[in-house]
Amino acid sequence: MSTQSTATRMTIAKALNAGMRAAMERDPKVVLMGEDVGKLGGVFRITEGLQKDFGEDRVVDTPLAESGIMGAAVGMALRGYRPVVEIQFDGFVYPAFDQIVSQVAKMHNRSLGALKVPMVIRIPYGGGIGAVEHHSESNESYFAHTAGLRVVTCSGTEDAYWMMQQAIASDDPVVFYEPKRRYHERGVLDLGDRGGGSSLEDAPHALEDAVVRVEGSDVTVLTYGPMVKVAHAAAQAAELEDGPSIEVVDLRSLSPLDVDVIEASVRKTGRCIALSEAQTFASITSELAAHVQEHCFYHLEAPVLRVGGYNIPYPPSRHEEVFLPDLDRVLHAVETLLAY
C-alpha cells in the first residue's frame, strides 16, 4: 500500500514558526513574549499567526524593555511556565544581559537544583541583510562562555523545526540563535514515517548533536548557523575543480560542544578550519582551535586556522561583504593548510 509523502519545502522562518506552534499545541504552559511578536508577528514575521490562534495570553506583545521582558520571563519560568522570549535583533540583547547571566544561567545552581528556569531566548543574529548598527552582530560567545546556559543555532529548515521544539522542551535555559539572513531560504522538512512530527522522539538528532553535512577526507571545516552554507559552497567548488576533499561539520550546539564528532572528523582529515561570522578574538572559533590542538595534536598535519569576522565593530552595511567570511576566504585557508 502506498503512503502519501509528508515532505514539504519551506523556509527556515516558516519552520521556526511551525516548531513553536507544535510546542504550543503540545504544552499549554508554553508562552511567547517579545516586542511585536503578537499582532505584527515579529519584525521578521517568525511568530506570524500564533497570537491569532493561541490568544493574547499566550503570545504577549511586551513593552520595548528587554531587561523587563527577561525578568518577567524568569518569574514565569520559576512558576512552571515555559516562556519563549524574542530579542528582535542580536544587538538589542545587552539590556537583558544582566538578567540572563546573573539570574537565568545561575538560578538552578544557586538553588542546589531545587529550581529550574526552562526558557528559550530567541536571538536573530549575524549580518548580510544591509542593516544599521546593532542589527548584525554575532555575540554568541558571550553566552557560550556563561556556565548554566545552552547555546544552539540552526542552519536549515529541518533543524529549525526540530531544534526549536527540543529547546522549548529542555529544562535548561536555551539561547537559540537564528541566522537571520537565511530566514527565507528553503529546505525540505520530511516528517516521513516519524509520526508526523507529533513527538520529540521523532527528531533526527538530539539538541546537542553536531552533524557532518558534507563528507570529506582532506580538511575539516567546523562551522555553524549562517556559515554552513558558505562552507558547503566551498566544498562544492573544491570538488568541481578536482581539488581537496572538504568535510563540513555543522556544530548546531555551541554549548555544550559535541566533541566526539569534532574530534573524529579532525582525526580523519588531519587539518581543521574553524569558521564563523563572529570576530575571531576570544570567540567560538578560538575555543574550537584550542580544543582541537589539545585533543587531536598528534593527528594534525598543520595548525588549526580560524576564519571569521575581523576584530573591529561590525561595519556599515556598505562594507559588510568585506567583513563577512566568504567562499574565497575559506578556500584560501584550505590552500594554506595544504601547503604545510
Side-chain angles (χ1 to χ4, degrees):
M1 186 176 83
S2 63
T3 58
Q4 186 176 3
S5 173
T6 56
T8 182
R9 288 185 62 81
M10 67 172 63
T11 63
I12 289 176
K14 292 294 185 184
L16 290 166
N17 181 288
M20 283 184 278
R21 178 179 294 277
M24 295 181 78
E25 289 172 347
R26 187 180 298 117
D27 185 350
K29 292 293 187 179
V30 176
V31 177
L32 310 187
M33 303 170 59
E35 300 160 5
D36 298 322
V37 299
K39 289 181 173 62
L40 183 65
V43 67
F44 294 104
R45 306 299 188 266
I46 306 301
T47 55
E48 190 170 36
L50 295 179
Q51 188 181 75
K52 175 179 176 292
D53 293 340
F54 293 95
E56 295 183 7
D57 290 340
R58 294 190 63 193
V59 183
V60 182
D61 280 317
T62 66
L64 304 180
E66 286 80 8
S67 181
I69 296 168
M70 199 61 59
V74 171
M76 294 180 69
L78 292 174
R79 292 301 300 267
Y81 290 88
R82 291 184 177 270
V84 180
V85 175
E86 178 182 296
I87 303 297
Q88 276 195 340
F89 285 91
D90 34 54
F92 295 179
V93 75
Y94 303 117
F97 190 81
D98 180 33
Q99 292 279 7
I100 297 170
V101 302
S102 298
Q103 309 300 333
V104 176
K106 293 180 171 61
M107 190 66 71
H108 186 67
N109 186 70
R110 182 184 299 144
S111 66
L112 300 179
L115 299 175
K116 296 178 181 178
V117 189
M119 62 187 299
V120 175
I121 303 164
R122 295 180 44 240
I123 305 179
Y125 78 121
I129 64 167
V132 296
E133 189 180 24
H134 305 310
H135 291 69
S136 300
E137 299 181 24
S138 297
N139 46 28
E140 58 270 20
S141 295
Y142 290 127
F143 299 111
H145 175 78
T146 304
L149 298 174
R150 286 180 179 264
V151 183
V152 303
T153 180
C154 59
S155 65
T157 295
E158 184 174 66
D159 275 350
Y161 177 75
W162 287 111
M163 290 176 71
M164 179 57 68
Q165 294 180 68
Q166 291 167 321
I168 294 172
S170 173
D171 285 336
D172 297 321
V174 180
V175 182
F176 196 110
Y177 277 95
E178 302 168 6
K180 68 169 85 77
R181 68 163 152 159
R182 308 296 185 206
Y183 270 150
H184 300 296
E185 294 181 0
R186 292 182 178 274
V188 176
L189 178 60
D190 186 1
L191 300 178
D193 297 325
R194 299 195 294 256
S198 61
S199 170
L200 290 181
E201 294 178 358
D202 302 329
H205 306 287
L207 185 62
E208 64 273 12
D209 286 351
V211 175
V212 177
R213 299 296 185 191
V214 180
E215 296 276 355
S217 57
D218 295 325
V219 179
T220 293
V221 177
L222 303 174
T223 190
Y224 55 91
M227 285 287 104
V228 172
K229 183 177 181 178
V230 175
H232 193 279
Q236 287 182 318
E239 183 181 13
L240 288 173
E241 296 295 327
D242 293 324
S245 174
I246 299 174
E247 179 149 298
V248 178
V249 178
D250 182 354
L251 298 175
R252 301 173 76 252
S253 174
L254 307 182
S255 181
L257 289 169
D258 187 349
V259 296
D260 291 339
V261 170
I262 292 169
E263 293 173 18
S265 179
V266 175
R267 286 170 180 155
K268 178 175 70 171
T269 65
R271 299 174 181 86
C272 180
I273 295 168
L275 169 67
S276 81
E277 285 192 15
Q279 295 92 334
T280 56
F281 184 79
S283 64
I284 299 295
T285 54
S286 301
E287 176 60 30
L288 291 168
H291 184 91
V292 170
Q293 294 281 148
E294 288 176 13
H295 295 274
C296 304
F297 182 79
Y298 290 107
H299 292 81
L300 289 173
E301 301 290 340
V304 179
L305 296 184
R306 292 176 293 157
V307 178
Y310 300 109
N311 294 320
I312 59 172
Y314 196 90
S317 59
R318 70 179 63 182
H319 301 303
E320 67 178 346
E321 292 306 320
V322 179
F323 175 86
L324 294 170
D326 59 10
L327 175 69
D328 290 338
R329 287 178 61 190
V330 175
L331 291 177
H332 180 265
V334 171
E335 293 172 359
T336 301
L337 287 180
L338 292 169
Y340 272 89

